[in-house]
Amino acid sequence: MRRLLGTVLVLALLAVVLVVGDRVAKGVAEQRIATAVSRAVTVSGSPQVTIHEQTPFLLQLVQGRVRTVDVALAGAQLQGLAASDVHVSAQDVAVAAPHRARHVSADGVLPTSTVQQVVAQRTGLDVTLSVDGAAMKATGKVLGLDLAVDLTPRVDAGRLLVDATKVTLGGRTIPTTALPAALRQGLTGLQVPVNGLPQGLALTSAEVVPAGVHVSLTDDDVVAPAGATSTP
């Protein structure tokens, strides 16, 4: 009886040690990933990393793949392009380099100020961008006349484009086809560059939200950029 009780106590203690060890290893891995993300991308605040435990983390390490890793960023810079409220979820991530994930989904918001900067650079117009329902509205002056342009984002072949759907000049609505060629070209298919994405990750959708343009990205077989991950 004493031997049985002793065996049970030893097994119980071993189970506690394994649970604690698993949690410690998971916490260390999450912190390392957060540090690596901060080094690879200019971020606002500290990245929030969560490794989900459908199975014990140590077992996932032994198997060589982590089931699900989620990363949340208050803000990030993608090669000079600001984004906010960024979320990334990677499934079935290889522990060994090059850290290939079976599937990745991500989303974030490009603030109106970011899109305004691109519109000004590409068109030469001094405009202010705001959100007006399901579209963005660029307002300013041209030749002393009030200018208002409704802009709608879309994704085409993985590129984020913005099109003018309505132009009002001096209180009169003008068809985009009647605009000077240079201005018309600048307001049609205006590309907002979203660079610095991991290999294989592509834009899939874009919609206007109160803070700007909400973009979604997803793909399979995605490789993490160099320096963006850290082996536990």
Side-chain angles (χ1 to χ4, degrees), residues 177-202:
T177 54
L179 294 172
L183 182 57
R184 182 174 67 250
Q185 292 173 3
L187 293 174
T188 303
L190 175 65
Q191 184 174 356
V192 180
V194 182
N195 301 318
L197 298 175
Q199 178 185 343
L201 193 60

Side-chain angles (χ1 to χ4, degrees), residues 91-136:
Q91 283 79 47
D92 199 18
V93 184
V95 172
H99 308 293
R100 188 181 300 273
R102 179 180 56 81
H103 180 78
V104 174
S105 57
D107 68 277
V109 176
L110 301 179
T112 53
S113 57
T114 294
V115 182
Q116 176 179 312
Q117 178 183 352
V118 174
V119 171
Q121 290 174 345
R122 299 299 173 87
T123 65
L125 296 174
D126 183 12
V127 294
T128 299
L129 218 64
S130 60
V131 172
D132 184 16
M136 293 179 294

Side-chain angles (χ1 to χ4, degrees), residues 151-164:
L151 300 168
T152 302
R154 60 185 172 92
V155 172
D156 181 31
R159 299 176 303 155
L160 177 58
L161 305 177
V162 177
D163 294 322

